Amino acid sequence: MAVNINNSIKNIRELKNYTQEYVADRLGMTQAGYSKIEKGISKVSLKKLQEIAAVLEVSMQNIIQFESEQYFEKRAKENVSTKSTDYSICQLLKDKIMLLEKLQHKMDLELKTYRDRFGML
């Protein structure tokens, strides 16, 4: 079976319930640029793969060898504690709130620029 790193990255991101915007922001790139990685339009360098793995909180090996069926079988066999799951969800929500606050701040600055340039819209 040929390894499709781009699909693995996308699948892991979706399993973690991360948006493309969230991952792109963490990588310091645009959502469109990150989307090209997942679609296979842009090639992934070793350095970028390391960065993506860090954002997704997995090893590069996990990305390279990722198979969704095996992941779900393993998760079904594991006895995941509610506390650790709740903590992960809580942390994810905090990260999403922080990202939304950053996006809101950027939008406010952009709106101010337009108002300064063109007056009240």
Side-chain angles (χ1 to χ4, degrees):
M1 171 183 259
V3 176
N4 189 334
I5 292 175
N6 310 79
N7 281 339
S8 296
I9 291 169
K10 179 180 178 182
N11 289 334
I12 293 169
R13 175 186 60 77
E14 289 176 343
L15 285 169
K16 291 198 167 264
N17 200 26
Y18 292 168
T19 63
Q20 286 186 344
E21 292 87 357
Y22 174 81
V23 176
D25 184 65
R26 293 290 191 124
L27 295 171
M29 61 189 310
T30 66
Q31 181 273 328
Y34 177 77
S35 176
K36 288 179 181 179
I37 290 172
E38 285 192 358
K39 290 179 181 176
I41 296 170
S42 294
K43 298 212 183 255
V44 181
S45 67
L46 182 60
K47 182 179 184 216
K48 187 57 74 177
L49 184 59
Q50 288 173 327
E51 293 171 1
I52 292 170
V55 171
L56 296 176
E57 301 169 327
V58 297
S59 69
M60 288 191 335
Q61 193 72 15
N62 290 138
I63 293 173
I64 293 168
Q65 295 179 338
F66 182 78
E67 291 185 32
S68 57
E69 293 82 18
Q70 288 180 351
Y71 173 83
F72 287 114
E73 286 174 15
K74 181 181 175 186
R75 294 295 288 187
K77 290 177 184 176
E78 290 176 354
N79 190 1
V80 179
S81 73
T82 307
K83 281 187 177 181
S84 68
T85 303
D86 287 347
Y87 175 78
S88 297
I89 292 171
C90 183
Q91 187 60 45
L92 176 63
L93 290 173
K94 285 179 183 178
D95 288 346
K96 285 185 177 186
I97 289 169
M98 184 175 66
L99 177 60
L100 288 171
E101 288 171 345
K102 284 182 183 178
L103 290 172
Q104 179 66 47
H105 179 71
K106 286 180 184 179
M107 294 297 291
D108 289 343
L109 291 175
E110 191 173 325
L111 183 58
K112 182 184 180 317
T113 300
Y114 285 122
R115 284 187 177 149
D116 291 345
R117 209 181 270 171
F118 304 110
M120 290 302 291
L121 301 175

